[in-house]
Amino acid sequence: MTYLHSMQAETDGIRAILPAKWRSLDGIVGVHWEAEAQAGANGYYLSPDPRIVFFFNDVSSQIRVADRENQLGRNDRGMARAIYVPAGVPMWTRFSARHRFSHLDLHLHQDRLMRYLAPSLGASKARSTIKRPVEVQDVGPVAALSRLVVDELSTDTRHPLFAESLVGSIATALLDIPRDDEAIQSGRLTQAQMNRLTSHLATHGDQRITVAEMAEVVGLSESWFATVFRETTGKTPLQWQLSRRIDAAQDLLCNGSLTIADIAAQLGFSDQAHLTKVFRQVVGETPAAWRRSRVQS
């Protein structure tokens, strides 16, 4: 199917420095941008379909990205070289410095992506896979595949199937496709599964995540997940989640000017007293005392 994407994009301080190269394929639109952004430039993006963004240079120190507008400057992160954004997931960005960049946008009709994945994965696993966001800094073969796609955007010498196959290869290289047998065979979670959990927790830093939700993220039953998780980490899922939230609290205590009450609210604790109690249990001292010791050292 010929398909034209409809993404909402609001930018300020970002301009194209060359005309965009683009091509519409079967359920895919590829666009290559050469652009420049001023320090403080920002953007908001929301698409009803999944998309892949690949940067041809490292932008992690110049572009900050967040899942909510109020996280920019407080709980944002560096933009990875390659990202997969599921349908309906918003993204806010901010440039910390003036920067020229080159990137490939691949807009994918959700039905087209399902049609590509489901024959090999099954419909249920394919649906689960396309709902999981991915951010990858070590891009490996995706770099070479993306360059080939850019070449195909400006030429019409090959059959469109070639470009569509390249995009399919990028998707399968980048998407977080679980292998159910790995955890069962080893009795432990794989590093990829732990990475999925860490990423999921990072994008839901102000919420408590249930064990059932964590199990779904890695594609295991709740009972089996709880068993292999403890074998992998030495902690229960909820103990691990709490320790990660305390790690995040320590980062905010060190790197920002937020009050302890602000940090408690941002990380989903009921109030400052709740954060203080849990922080003391995990770290051995109160957040205020821990912050003072880091400032003085």
Side-chain angles (χ1 to χ4, degrees):
M1 57 184 168
T2 301
Y3 149 73
L4 294 175
H5 69 287
S6 58
M7 183 174 74
Q8 180 182 354
E10 300 171 8
T11 62
D12 181 29
I14 305 172
R15 68 180 185 92
I17 57 178
L18 291 173
K21 298 177 182 177
W22 73 279
R23 189 174 179 186
S24 180
L25 302 162
D26 178 14
I28 302 165
V29 172
V31 188
H32 177 234
W33 295 95
E34 298 277 357
E36 181 179 57
Q38 305 298 319
N42 59 80
Y44 165 73
Y45 308 90
L46 177 64
S47 175
D49 287 310
R51 62 194 182 96
I52 291 170
V53 184
F54 178 82
F55 289 89
F56 289 93
N57 53 324
D58 185 357
V59 296
S60 58
S61 60
Q62 290 89 12
I63 306 179
R64 307 298 297 176
V65 61
D67 306 300
R68 300 181 182 180
E69 187 175 16
N70 62 8
Q71 291 178 341
L72 283 173
R74 301 173 59 187
N75 194 27
D76 54 22
R77 58 195 182 276
M79 176 72 80
R81 286 279 307 278
I83 64 172
Y84 167 75
V85 185
V89 173
M91 183 174 69
W92 285 262
T93 62
R94 178 179 58 83
F95 282 76
S96 58
R98 182 188 181 103
H99 189 59
R100 286 193 173 191
F101 59 99
S102 171
H103 75 284
L104 172 67
D105 284 345
L106 297 172
H107 302 270
L108 309 166
H109 193 286
Q110 189 155 291
D111 291 346
R112 178 65 170 93
L113 190 54
M114 281 293 295
R115 184 153 46 94
Y116 188 82
L117 297 174
S120 297
L121 302 182
S124 178
K125 186 182 287 188
R127 278 193 295 269
S128 177
T129 296
I130 68 175
K131 291 178 182 178
R132 289 194 289 270
V134 177
E135 300 181 4
V136 175
Q137 186 64 15
D138 183 8
V139 293
V142 174
L145 292 168
S146 296
R147 292 188 187 96
L148 290 172
V149 170
V150 171
D151 290 341
E152 291 303 305
L153 297 182
S154 54
T155 64
D156 198 15
T157 57
R158 295 185 180 92
H159 192 281
L161 183 60
F162 179 63
E164 293 161 10
S165 298
L166 291 172
V167 174
S169 295
I170 291 173
T172 52
L174 185 59
L175 286 172
D176 182 15
I177 301 174
R179 288 182 53 191
D180 291 341
D181 60 326
E182 290 180 308
I184 294 172
Q185 290 176 358
S186 66
R188 298 169 63 88
L189 294 174
T190 66
Q191 187 58 53
Q193 288 171 317
M194 289 301 301
N195 290 344
R196 291 204 293 273
L197 285 172
T198 301
S199 176
H200 187 77
L201 185 61
T203 59
H204 297 77
D206 59 349
Q207 303 175 25
R208 297 181 186 180
I209 302 171
T210 66
V211 175
E213 184 178 352
M214 294 170 75
E216 183 178 357
V217 167
V218 298
L220 297 173
S221 68
E222 185 174 347
S223 59
W224 180 245
F225 168 76
T227 299
V228 297
F229 188 93
R230 184 150 198 162
E231 182 66 27
T232 304
T233 66
K235 299 176 181 178
T236 68
L238 295 182
Q239 287 172 338
W240 176 82
Q241 183 180 172
L242 189 59
S243 70
R244 300 291 300 191
R245 293 168 72 203
I246 295 300
D247 288 344
Q250 289 176 313
D251 287 341
L252 292 171
L253 287 166
C254 280
N255 300 328
S257 57
L258 295 175
T259 67
I260 295 172
D262 288 338
I263 294 171
Q266 184 168 321
L267 296 178
F269 292 92
S270 56
D271 53 26
Q272 179 175 336
H274 183 206
L275 170 60
T276 298
K277 178 182 178 181
V278 174
F279 194 98
R280 190 202 297 269
Q281 290 173 344
V282 175
V283 180
E285 55 187 336
T286 66
W290 189 89
R291 174 181 260 175
R292 283 195 300 270
S293 68
R294 294 307 180 276
V295 171
Q296 294 168 359
S297 57

